[in-house]
Amino acid sequence: MHGTALRQRLNELKTSVVPRPPGSLQTWLRGRDHLEAAGHVCILKDALDFESPSEISNFIKAESLEAAMALHLYRGGRLLPGHGIPFGIIFGGTDLNEDVKHGEKNKVMGRVLEEARFAVAFTESMKETAQRQWPHAKDKIYVQSQGIATVPNTTFNWNTFLQRSEINQSADNLHVFLLICGLRQVKDPLYLVDAFSEWHQEEPNIYMVIVGPEVDPVFTREVKAKVKRTAGVRLIGEMAQEDLHAVMKNCFAVVNSSVSEGMSAAILEAMDLEVPVLARNIPGNAAVVKHEVTGLLFSDPQEFVRLAKRLGGDPALEKQIVANGREYVRMYHSWQVERNTYGHLVRMLEGSSED
């Protein structure tokens, strides 16, 4: 099925609770770009669009799908076995960090890997975790870090964004810390809110802005209520990627406070944009942020404030971190290398579908 005589159509299953979570969506949009560049036709779908295996089966038949890829071994992958088309898996993060602890989910994921043609881990650590859990799949797990390309909107107006965020201060005197995440518990967007608010009381030019879509409706209400009554913290809805990159470029630092991460695209994009990163010290973040080299890692809200203050008062440290971060992304998160890898993996699916 090589060349142009036949056209492969890939069904991509996006696995968020609602469409367009920042990290998951960007992974899939990059994947779609890579595959369409190779001449394939891609359909992007949310896993929650399907309530039963029969709906998946009907969709596959209606669209004449020949292969599939799923992001997240449990939420997306569990939908694919038994439909007669080859498929691959991309580990998400919570599948290996959280779902693996639940017996039934663990078994389901193991069965998915039995049928999957390949599985992609973002890091060697993720690969090792998967291999320990499912030794039978060790020969089909590949490591490919996320490829990063940032294109900030050159016409974006930072002052308008600040007004929209109800930050009525001169941009020249502001330090805005940006937390980018879908509003769901695993991202823990409220982790730093109280400590940050106390800091804002001392230094009113310090703000935290949380940006992201409303993924979990119940948790979103909790976040909105907390932010509404907390000084120095603002909440903004989902933004277009180019606008978000422009916001990142203008902010003082990008923050990650997640309980669990596979590989945070926001962290890598901040590095690419030469913006300092402060990240919660969890395995997924520590895999890409080396403390005091490519960013700063904190273990509790108080340490976050101490490190943030240190960063603000040490221009040499800031310069060193952003330079190292940019070089790290260029060296290890090449968009072109990612494209080449997925091109190779899809050819494995093409060969499978010809059998």
Side-chain angles (χ1 to χ4, degrees):
M1 195 172 278
H2 301 288
T4 58
L6 291 174
R7 184 173 67 174
Q8 177 103 345
R9 175 169 289 187
L10 293 181
N11 166 35
E12 299 174 341
L13 291 177
K14 181 161 65 73
T15 60
S16 62
V17 178
V18 298
R20 299 178 61 82
S24 299
L25 177 68
Q26 292 313 310
T27 298
W28 275 123
L29 291 182
R30 289 197 316 275
R32 184 176 64 184
D33 288 345
H34 295 331
L35 298 176
E36 289 181 344
H40 306 301
V41 177
C42 304
I43 301 174
L44 184 66
K45 297 291 289 185
D46 191 317
L48 289 189
D49 287 345
F50 305 100
E51 296 183 358
S52 67
S54 63
E55 289 188 9
I56 285 280
S57 180
N58 292 338
F59 178 70
I60 289 171
K61 292 174 183 176
E63 297 291 342
S64 300
L65 303 181
E66 297 176 78
M69 292 176 64
L71 175 60
H72 200 284
L73 180 56
Y74 182 73
R75 282 180 282 169
R78 64 193 173 95
L79 300 172
L80 296 179
H83 295 294
I85 62 171
F87 64 87
I89 297 293
I90 301 175
F91 295 114
T94 53
D95 42 10
L96 293 178
N97 298 331
E98 305 296 331
D99 293 336
V100 74
K101 302 171 187 175
H102 302 277
E104 185 56 35
K105 288 183 178 180
N106 191 310
K107 291 178 182 177
V108 169
M109 292 189 289
R111 290 195 292 269
V112 173
L113 284 175
E114 288 178 3
E115 191 170 326
R117 304 299 184 181
F118 63 79
V120 178
F122 292 142
T123 65
E124 288 288 346
S125 176
M126 292 175 71
K127 177 182 178 180
E128 291 167 5
T129 297
Q131 288 176 329
R132 283 195 303 271
Q133 290 294 327
W134 306 287
H136 65 275
K138 62 184 180 67
D139 293 332
K140 61 175 70 173
I141 301 175
Y142 298 78
V143 175
Q144 174 56 56
S145 60
Q146 294 193 66
I148 296 300
T150 55
V151 186
N153 180 357
T154 57
T155 64
F156 186 82
N157 191 305
W158 176 240
N159 288 318
T160 300
F161 173 80
L162 294 176
Q163 291 172 8
R164 176 187 170 197
S165 304
E166 298 181 352
I167 298 175
N168 300 312
Q169 293 193 29
S170 168
D172 297 335
N173 299 319
L174 281 177
H175 276 180
V176 174
F177 290 78
L178 192 66
L179 176 59
I180 303 166
C181 67
L183 300 185
R184 53 193 180 114
Q185 289 186 338
V186 72
K187 298 301 181 181
D188 209 2
L190 298 179
Y191 182 63
L192 300 172
V193 164
D194 288 336
F196 199 94
S197 184
E198 290 180 15
W199 183 20
H200 173 79
Q201 308 285 350
E202 301 170 9
E203 301 182 44
N205 64 323
I206 303 293
Y207 282 85
M208 172 178 284
V209 178
I210 303 169
V211 178
E214 301 178 2
V215 178
D216 179 335
V218 175
F219 185 62
T220 293
R221 288 196 292 272
E222 179 184 339
V223 172
K224 286 182 175 181
K226 178 70 173 180
V227 169
K228 188 175 182 179
R229 63 177 184 267
T230 304
V233 181
R234 301 291 188 266
L235 179 63
I236 298 293
E238 183 182 13
M239 302 180 67
Q241 191 70 6
E242 295 81 3
D243 290 346
L244 183 59
H245 288 163
V247 171
M248 294 168 75
K249 190 69 177 173
N250 281 280
C251 75
F252 178 71
V254 167
V255 179
N256 180 293
S257 59
S258 296
V259 174
S260 172
E261 286 283 0
M263 179 175 285
S264 168
I267 286 177
L268 297 172
E269 289 166 351
M271 290 180 178
D272 191 53
L273 292 166
E274 299 183 278
V275 177
V277 170
L278 293 100
R280 192 169 180 172
N281 193 359
I282 57 172
N285 288 343
V288 296
V289 178
K290 186 174 181 181
H291 186 58
E292 298 182 342
V293 178
T294 58
L296 298 172
L297 294 171
F298 59 87
S299 297
D300 57 55
Q302 292 69 38
E303 186 177 20
F304 163 79
V305 172
R306 287 196 300 272
L307 290 172
K309 288 181 176 179
R310 178 185 168 195
L311 184 65
D314 191 342
L317 175 64
E318 178 186 358
K319 183 177 180 181
Q320 170 188 312
I321 283 175
V322 298
N324 290 339
R326 181 70 185 275
E327 182 61 22
Y328 168 77
V329 169
R330 286 177 172 175
M331 288 284 292
Y332 299 106
H333 295 276
S334 164
W335 180 86
Q336 186 61 52
V337 170
E338 183 185 55
R339 169 165 289 191
N340 294 342
T341 296
Y342 283 103
H344 166 72
L345 293 174
V346 170
R347 285 194 291 274
M348 293 171 57
L349 296 182
E350 290 175 341
S352 300
S353 62
E354 288 178 328
D355 293 342

